[in-house]
Amino acid sequence: MSEEEKSLNFIEHIIEDDLSSGFPKDKLRFRFPPEPNGYLHIGHASSICLNFGLGLRYNSPVNLRFDDTNPAKEEQEYVDAIKRDVDWLGFSWDAEVYASDYFQQLYDWAVELIKNGKAYVDSQSAEVIATQKGTPTQDGENSPFRDRTVEENLALFSEMKEGKYKEGEHVLRAKIDMTSSNMLMRDPLMYRILHKPHHRTNTDWCIYPMYDWTHGESDYLEQVSHSFCTLEFAMHRELYDWFLDQVTVDTKVRPKQREFARRNFSHTVVSKRKLLQLVEEEVVTGWDDPRMPTISGLRRKGYTANAIRNFANTIGIAKRENVVDVSLLEFSIREDLNKIAPRVMAVLNPVKLVITNYPDGEEEWLDAENNPGDDNAGYRKVPFSKELYIEKEDFKEEANKKFFRLKLGGEVRLKNGYIIKAESCTKDAEGNIIEIQCTYDPKSKSGSGTEESLRKVKGTLHWVSIKHAIASEVRLYDRLFNDETPDQHKDKDFMEFVNPESLKVITGFVEPSLKTAKVEDIFQFQRIGYFNIDKDSTAEKLVFNKTVGLRDTWAKLQQK
RNA sequence: UGGUCCAUGGUGUAAUUGGUAACACACCGGUUUUUGGUACCGACAUUCAAGGUUCGAGUCCUUGUGGACCAACCA
């Protein structure tokens, strides 16, 4: 990562400004505050890299805080998954904290607010309260319970906590201003009754604090100096500050909320609700399905933490609306994998090729370079024999000279092997080519140094020896949605755009060196793309995921 | 009809805080190559619009236009 000459984003400018106006650098503290109601996705990666990146940049602590104030949606499974993903991304948090750690403190503070006449118990239904709120262009009206006495409020609130009421019977509201132009300031709810066990506090509580009442106070309790969230919380800032006003003391750091635009990505959705829907309706196999934009899905698909971090840094942070093109993500993973992935040969769409002048039954083990860009990567042996598979699309009976691959009468080099010449082919009744016959030049062996071996032929093909190849399951993924912005249509549901062909499972033939490959090992199938070993692999059958294809200028040429 | 925020090439960001538009991706063209990969070279915007302030404006002001967000006992 090039941390050096990078220009600052607006968040970093804010911090620099605070520092230059006297804020002590050692008081800087950040946090990443997910709600454990789903798995982390690529959008979170931006927030994670922002907050933890700031921690690294200023050498400041960063808390991992779970915003667990709604037991109806939250689960331990998600807590575990989130920790796993942040850790995998390569970041370490200073403290693992939970909003639920502060339930008692929050309660005590709420009691203070009541005593100060800043909060009251409302006993109306959700519907009535909503109606009284008015609209953005129309003032709200006060609740008839707004002027309950402090004593009455205290008693009611205490009884709410003790479990004397059913859900919905009472709520605690902050007493602010029902005519504010900011809807959130119209006496927002602080507590609601929820008779649901919490994944950490179990049944200790039956009243739960709302987000607004919790978040700023949690930041304050942890002495977080800068609290960054997405733009949809911009309106909440006024309330965040109001709540802080009720509890802060001068000697402590007063947290500052600032907002940045969430990242949108083309051809996918990043909303936990929608991702959950994909899982529940079994459009995908789970949160870690390789087609999912989740961190765990990307990891399973073969993405590296390094690539994701680079990607997040590349797209940066700003305040404007955006749709990040997937090609940027694909570039990041190719860039990383190109450096580290060992090259191997695999044929995914095979056609038989017979070398008629190669001795029957003979085999030889050729040297193959593991990574041409890495001098230390070394060589491995790949078996060669009379009968091989090559890709169907690498042969044509006839073709123009733009086609560098094999055609009748034409020559091509078999990667790491010999130069061959196609002589004839045989077809089945439907006219499909089922076998290609060719001859080889025995003196043209790669690396042999002979004059023949140095000859230049335009095309080079990958191949596998049929006798030695390992038949494997290969999972090819396409984008999950056919539309560029599936959830930006006012009149259509994003589920309408699900790509029915997002997964294709085929049998491919890989070179025998892959026999010992382990789960998550990643390779470049030369001339095809990057593939890793899926966790579904067994000793009997290897299962590969396609991570991403190689850049394919030939495909572009063909389209013209 | 109220309020808040935003507007730089196809995409995402930058611009020493008023000093003459930069980086990456994509696209197009080329060189190299035993991966049509990689690497390398080149081309590609005068900053939503109109006024204004200024020697000088992407940066400041005004007015428009366009977009996002705000009325969950969600976060």
Side-chain angles (χ1 to χ4, degrees):
Chain A
M1 282 176 278
S2 56
E3 200 74 55
E4 299 307 329
E5 290 294 314
K6 250 196 83 188
S7 53
L8 304 182
N9 61 43
F10 84 99
I11 294 281
E12 290 160 337
H13 279 297
I14 288 170
I15 294 172
E16 290 296 330
D17 286 348
D18 286 343
L19 290 177
S20 57
S21 53
F23 188 88
K25 185 164 177 288
D26 61 356
K27 296 269 194 202
L28 247 23
R29 180 182 280 270
F30 310 101
R31 110 264 91 118
F32 171 63
E35 182 191 12
N37 66 340
Y39 281 57
L40 260 22
H41 55 68
I42 184 69
H44 290 111
S46 272
S47 178
I48 293 169
C49 292
L50 170 69
N51 286 296
F52 284 97
L54 253 16
L56 258 20
R57 180 188 186 96
Y58 294 103
N59 196 19
S60 313
V62 183
N63 285 350
L64 173 60
R65 179 166 79 232
F66 292 94
D67 234 331
D68 55 348
T69 56
N70 184 4
K73 290 184 175 176
E74 296 150 7
E75 293 174 25
Q76 186 61 39
E77 177 199 347
Y78 297 134
V79 170
D80 298 338
I82 289 167
K83 286 166 65 178
R84 203 184 308 133
D85 287 346
V86 174
D87 179 63
W88 176 77
L89 278 172
F91 296 110
S92 37
W93 48 88
D94 181 59
E96 175 185 334
V97 286
Y98 295 80
S100 53
D101 294 340
Y102 315 132
F103 281 174
Q104 185 61 48
Q105 173 65 262
L106 256 10
Y107 178 83
D108 294 343
W109 271 335
V111 168
E112 286 306 307
L113 292 213
I114 292 173
K115 287 180 180 165
N116 296 332
K118 296 290 183 62
Y120 63 97
V121 173
D122 198 340
S123 308
Q124 304 179 101
S125 69
E127 298 70 40
V128 172
I129 290 177
T131 314
Q132 283 171 351
K133 276 210 173 166
T135 70
T137 55
Q138 194 180 326
D139 288 351
E141 52 187 270
N142 290 349
S143 162
F145 297 100
R146 198 170 198 260
D147 294 313
R148 281 215 249 234
T149 63
V150 168
E151 292 67 33
E152 197 180 354
N153 281 321
L154 251 19
L156 248 15
F157 188 47
S158 159
E159 288 172 353
M160 281 167 65
K161 175 180 187 283
E162 286 157 21
K164 294 202 173 154
Y165 302 110
K166 294 199 289 285
E167 291 185 12
E169 270 191 88
H170 304 284
V171 291
L172 185 73
R173 291 229 254 167
K175 192 191 280 189
I176 308 181
D177 178 7
M178 290 304 288
T179 66
S180 170
S181 60
N182 182 351
M183 297 294 291
L184 289 157
M185 298 300 277
R186 324 248 260 226
D187 289 11
L189 266 63
M190 293 173 67
Y191 279 93
R192 77 289 212 188
I193 298 168
L194 243 32
H195 289 287
K196 297 206 170 55
H198 184 279
H199 64 97
R200 293 188 76 241
T201 60
N202 201 5
T203 53
D204 291 353
W205 294 84
C206 64
I207 58 170
Y208 291 92
M210 301 290 288
Y211 165 84
D212 288 296
W213 171 235
T214 308
H215 205 90
E217 320 307 284
S218 300
D219 287 338
Y220 179 62
L221 286 167
E222 291 168 24
Q223 285 291 281
V224 165
S225 61
H226 298 263
S227 181
F228 300 113
C229 58
T230 46
L231 236 30
E232 56 267 33
F233 290 96
M235 286 299 145
H236 294 248
R237 188 150 110 201
E238 190 180 357
L239 182 53
Y240 178 100
D241 286 331
W242 190 91
F243 278 136
L244 243 28
D245 285 340
Q246 313 309 313
V247 305
T248 49
V249 296
D250 292 346
T251 52
K252 296 185 129 186
V253 171
R254 183 190 167 104
K256 178 187 266 194
Q257 171 184 307
R258 288 297 180 270
E259 312 81 18
F260 61 90
R262 61 181 279 175
R263 321 310 308 196
N264 300 300
F265 303 92
S266 65
H267 300 286
T268 192
V269 296
V270 281
S271 134
K272 280 195 250 182
R273 200 204 91 225
K274 288 167 187 154
L275 295 177
L276 178 63
Q277 193 178 339
L278 290 169
V279 173
E280 286 181 337
E281 295 184 17
E282 298 184 359
V283 172
V284 295
T285 58
W287 287 96
D288 72 342
D289 186 298
R291 291 166 293 180
M292 290 283 270
T294 51
I295 304 292
S296 50
L298 290 167
R299 173 168 66 229
R300 184 170 175 189
K301 193 179 177 183
Y303 275 69
T304 60
N306 200 21
I308 293 175
R309 272 189 265 107
N310 287 342
F311 172 68
N313 289 335
T314 304
I315 63 178
I317 292 289
K319 291 185 84 165
R320 61 168 155 162
E321 274 297 297
N322 59 80
V323 180
V324 181
D325 200 283
V326 278
S327 64
L328 228 36
L329 217 206
E330 292 185 345
F331 168 78
S332 296
I333 187 60
R334 286 196 190 104
E335 182 189 38
D336 195 37
L337 260 20
N338 177 51
K339 284 182 280 195
I340 63 175
R343 272 60 171 170
V344 295
M345 292 197 285
V347 174
L348 301 187
N349 186 20
V351 62
K352 186 174 177 182
L353 179 112
V354 178
I355 304 167
T356 53
N357 59 338
Y358 194 83
D360 287 337
E362 180 158 323
E363 68 178 52
E364 58 186 311
W365 290 75
L366 306 170
D367 289 316
E369 208 175 6
N370 287 327
N371 189 338
D374 179 359
D375 294 337
N376 301 319
Y379 290 78
R380 69 187 184 288
K381 295 284 188 183
V382 290
F384 187 83
S385 66
K386 187 185 181 84
E387 296 188 337
L388 313 173
Y389 281 139
I390 63 167
E391 302 286 350
K392 272 199 179 108
E393 50 275 30
D394 281 345
F395 175 76
K396 277 185 183 179
E397 288 181 86
E398 34 186 299
N400 64 29
K401 59 178 186 296
K402 288 237 179 184
F403 185 80
F404 302 162
R405 287 111 106 132
L406 192 60
K407 53 194 168 195
L408 288 181
E411 283 185 319
V412 93
R413 173 172 289 282
L414 292 176
K415 180 83 184 165
N416 306 311
Y418 299 92
I419 293 174
I420 59 168
K421 182 177 183 183
E423 308 287 357
S424 57
C425 63
T426 51
K427 301 180 190 174
D428 64 12
E430 282 88 52
N432 302 309
I433 295 166
I434 53 169
E435 186 184 297
I436 302 157
Q437 296 85 34
C438 66
T439 53
Y440 84 120
D441 176 357
K443 292 183 180 155
S444 65
K445 184 171 168 177
S446 292
S448 62
T450 62
E451 195 178 318
E452 291 84 348
S453 74
L454 267 15
R455 260 179 66 214
K456 300 283 179 196
V457 288
K458 192 64 185 168
T460 301
L461 306 185
H462 62 276
W463 50 272
V464 291
S465 164
I466 295 178
K467 190 169 72 178
H468 306 269
I470 308 171
S472 310
E473 178 173 327
V474 181
R475 298 174 181 174
L476 306 173
Y477 303 101
D478 200 352
R479 45 187 53 145
L480 233 198
F481 295 93
N482 283 323
D483 189 82
E484 195 176 324
T485 52
D487 57 355
Q488 309 270 303
H489 296 267
K490 291 214 160 47
D491 50 339
K492 284 187 177 164
D493 189 75
F494 75 102
M495 293 294 272
E496 290 179 43
F497 298 104
V498 167
N499 176 6
E501 288 163 16
S502 58
L503 169 63
K504 199 157 74 176
V505 180
I506 61 169
T507 297
F509 297 86
V510 304
E511 61 171 70
S513 73
L514 287 171
K515 200 175 190 85
T516 55
K518 300 183 300 295
V519 173
E520 287 190 355
D521 280 356
I522 189 148
F523 304 93
Q524 184 195 93
F525 288 0
Q526 280 184 118
R527 300 212 304 136
I528 303 175
Y530 296 96
F531 294 77
N532 77 346
I533 306 252
D534 190 79
K535 65 180 182 187
D536 288 345
S537 275
T538 62
E540 294 74 46
K541 187 169 81 171
L542 288 171
V543 178
F544 290 93
N545 295 308
K546 179 173 182 176
T547 307
V548 65
L550 255 29
R551 264 187 77 217
D552 192 351
T553 45
W554 169 239
K556 281 176 201 156
L557 270 177
Q558 281 180 302
Q559 277 174 8
K560 290 183 191 169

